[in-house]
Amino acid sequence: MNSLCARLVEDPDKDPRGGPGPRGGPIVTRTASGPTLEFWRAVLLGDVASVSRLLASPGSGLSPDVVFDTSDPERWREFRFNIRALRLWSLTYVEELTTPIHVAANRGHEQVLQLLLNRGAQPDAAPGGRTALHEACLSGHPACARLLLVAGADPDIPDQDGRRPLHLCQGPDALHCAELLLRFGASVDGRSEEGEETPLHVAARGGLVELAALLLRKGACPDARDAEGRTPLLAACSVSFLSPTEVEEATSRCLHLCHLLLSVGADADAADHDRQRPLHLACRRGNVAVAELLLSQGVSVNAMDYGGHTALHWALQGPPAALPCSPEQVVRALLNHGAVRIWPGALPKVLERWCEFPRIIEVLMNTYSFVKLPGEAEDLIPPEVLKKHQDFYSSLFALVGRPRCLKHLSRHALRSRLAGCLSQALPQLPLPPSLLGYLQLDFEDILY
């Protein structure tokens, strides 16, 4: 065990953050010996009695601010091997430089952390780029965060990536850590140094509804913009869904966040530097509930981003396999709020892309007075898809170049007349529900 290769160098003129500092600074390093290895083992396990004994042991030379250097890959591998041999391989803090208080804060060893602070460990030491407070918040240990704050840790200190502790409150017990930071003076709108994100941006992007609510209660700006011009509402709408299993929960959290932000006055139509708006992002991800919420706020349904794309374009360009819900509902909602129809010449491309979702084709076709498709359009659809949706595609291709039924033509004429106020006017018409649903493009799975 004495061969543990972790090079530690003693430099009394070095500041605990890694730069030059006053003589007598607590940076302690040397080649690991039996007591040093035993000390690190005790810190890793949270063995406060052993930590106390070793620190008090005469001649051990151990310090509460000893810095463990893992920057040499060969030595780090040997350290890792030895720790595994001790059955201690659960160290999660893997910065090149770490100290006992970082490990204790990261693992939630409150007693060890308190002991180290009592023995003079510097709460804002950051030899690896983060302070112990960053570690406590990142790992969700509010008790450790409180000990550090009481000991004088700076609640607004940035880490090596320019993020403040409040930006790292994303995991378990994030809410309690954030409450402590704010109580001890952390800036509720403190910016990260590179992305210029506020903690509210981080909470919105992570779907942390309770944390976002706390930040807003404490005065966070709902329309703060990051370096890309994104507001927290844009951050909430930009979340992608990685797997089908998380779709329902993620869409629900996104909807709650949007409700929360809009309730405190967030701009529902705010555009980033690329002129992308929340509606563009919601439609791109097929989030119909959020899209309908934004549309109810009167956002511009036909606003274009820098690429010339409207929300309808994004709804039709999103990857079909990644959409969290029925994409046809998003397209229908947009068309019922006055979205400009796509150019008829683009219909074959839509047909080819969305052939497995015939309801998208249906709702688009029902905004035209006639079906205009090239003769070879049927060849764009795989035979197995044609067979699966035989009734719909038979009705579609039977209407090419032929007049639609009178009922549809009446619907088209009425919708065209009310084009500027469809979403407000249609529900006010004294019509039975079935007829109102027809006017609002309810799905029939066939064209007439």
Side-chain angles (χ1 to χ4, degrees):
M1 291 300 177
N2 291 341
S3 64
L4 174 63
C5 294
R7 193 170 66 82
L8 302 172
V9 191
E10 183 158 4
D11 183 359
D13 291 329
K14 196 173 181 183
D15 179 87
R17 299 178 190 229
R23 179 167 288 278
I27 292 299
V28 178
T29 55
R30 59 198 131 104
T31 303
S33 61
T36 305
L37 180 58
E38 187 181 357
F39 175 66
W40 278 99
R41 178 180 183 179
V43 172
L44 289 165
L45 289 175
D47 183 351
V48 66
S50 296
V51 171
S52 178
R53 174 178 55 81
L54 289 164
L55 284 174
S57 176
S60 71
L62 293 172
S63 160
D65 277 326
V66 62
V67 175
F68 194 68
D69 183 358
T70 64
S71 58
D72 188 317
E74 293 300 321
R75 289 169 174 159
W76 172 238
R77 276 195 288 272
E78 188 171 347
F79 168 72
R80 191 166 55 181
F81 171 80
N82 280 288
I83 294 298
R84 291 183 70 180
L86 291 171
R87 296 188 178 183
L88 294 175
W89 181 236
S90 58
L91 179 62
T92 56
Y93 182 79
V94 292
E95 292 287 348
E96 290 189 348
L97 298 175
T98 188
T99 72
I101 65 167
H102 286 76
V103 176
N106 178 273
R107 290 180 162 226
H109 297 328
E110 302 167 39
Q111 291 182 315
V112 171
L113 181 59
Q114 182 69 78
L115 172 65
L116 294 167
L117 291 169
N118 290 343
R119 294 293 180 93
Q122 297 191 25
D124 282 338
R130 286 180 182 158
T131 67
L133 184 58
H134 287 105
E135 290 298 325
C137 294
L138 184 63
S139 301
H141 297 302
C144 290
R146 180 179 179 80
L147 289 175
L148 290 160
L149 289 164
V150 169
D154 184 348
D156 260 341
I157 191 170
D159 66 6
Q160 77 276 14
D161 297 317
R163 295 176 298 179
R164 303 164 189 254
L166 201 50
H167 289 103
L168 301 181
C169 294
Q170 303 174 45
D173 269 331
L175 190 63
H176 295 136
C177 289
E179 287 173 338
L180 282 166
L181 291 168
L182 293 168
R183 192 184 311 162
F184 278 82
S187 172
V188 72
D189 281 326
R191 304 282 183 141
S192 60
E193 291 182 358
E194 185 173 347
E196 297 182 23
E197 285 190 318
T198 66
L200 186 56
H201 281 96
V202 177
R205 190 177 63 249
L208 305 175
V209 181
E210 295 81 5
L211 178 57
L214 169 66
L215 296 170
L216 289 168
R217 286 198 305 272
K218 296 296 183 178
C221 177
D223 282 327
R225 292 183 179 271
D226 65 11
E228 301 297 325
R230 291 183 291 258
T231 64
L233 184 59
L234 281 161
C237 293
S238 66
V239 176
S240 296
F241 309 110
L242 302 179
S243 66
T245 56
E246 68 177 3
V247 166
E248 185 175 351
E249 181 185 355
T251 52
S252 175
R253 283 190 277 112
C254 180
L255 181 61
H256 285 145
L257 277 165
C258 292
H259 270 295
L260 178 63
L261 291 164
L262 292 170
S263 71
V264 295
D267 185 354
D269 222 9
D272 64 15
H273 293 340
D274 291 327
R275 294 187 182 174
Q276 290 228 326
R277 300 166 188 253
L279 185 62
H280 292 134
L281 299 175
C283 291
R284 186 176 186 177
R285 286 154 180 79
N287 197 328
V288 63
V290 172
E292 289 179 339
L293 172 62
L294 295 168
L295 289 167
S296 72
Q297 299 291 310
V299 298
S300 177
V301 69
N302 291 309
M304 293 184 180
D305 62 16
Y306 262 133
H309 298 103
T310 66
L312 182 58
H313 290 135
W314 280 120
L316 293 173
Q317 289 183 19
L323 292 178
C325 56
S326 302
E328 66 271 12
Q329 298 290 353
V330 179
V331 176
R332 177 175 177 265
L334 292 171
L335 292 170
N336 280 331
H337 280 81
V340 174
R341 300 172 302 175
I342 64 172
W343 176 55
L347 287 173
K349 291 184 178 179
V350 176
L351 181 63
E352 182 177 17
R353 181 179 181 81
W354 294 98
C355 60
E356 293 191 57
F357 296 80
R359 284 189 165 185
I360 287 183
I361 312 303
E362 175 189 347
V363 74
L364 288 172
M365 291 298 179
N366 279 337
T367 62
Y368 298 92
S369 58
F370 62 93
V371 175
K372 185 177 181 181
L373 288 172
E376 66 275 11
E378 190 169 351
D379 298 333
L380 299 173
I381 306 174
E384 63 272 16
V385 177
L386 281 173
K387 183 177 181 181
K388 181 179 179 181
H389 304 287
Q390 183 176 1
D391 291 344
F392 173 77
Y393 282 114
S394 295
S395 69
L396 169 64
F397 294 118
L399 285 173
V400 175
R402 297 178 59 188
R404 301 289 299 269
C405 68
L406 182 60
K407 184 179 178 181
H408 169 73
L409 293 175
S410 300
R411 171 173 62 182
H412 179 267
L414 182 57
R415 287 178 62 90
S416 298
R417 178 75 178 211
L418 300 174
C421 55
L422 267 175
S423 59
Q424 298 85 15
L426 285 181
Q428 296 181 28
L429 296 177
L431 298 172
S434 59
L435 185 53
L436 179 60
Y438 182 77
L439 290 173
Q440 293 174 325
L441 305 177
D442 275 357
F443 300 105
E444 299 178 278
D445 298 315
I446 197 168
L447 293 172
Y448 297 99

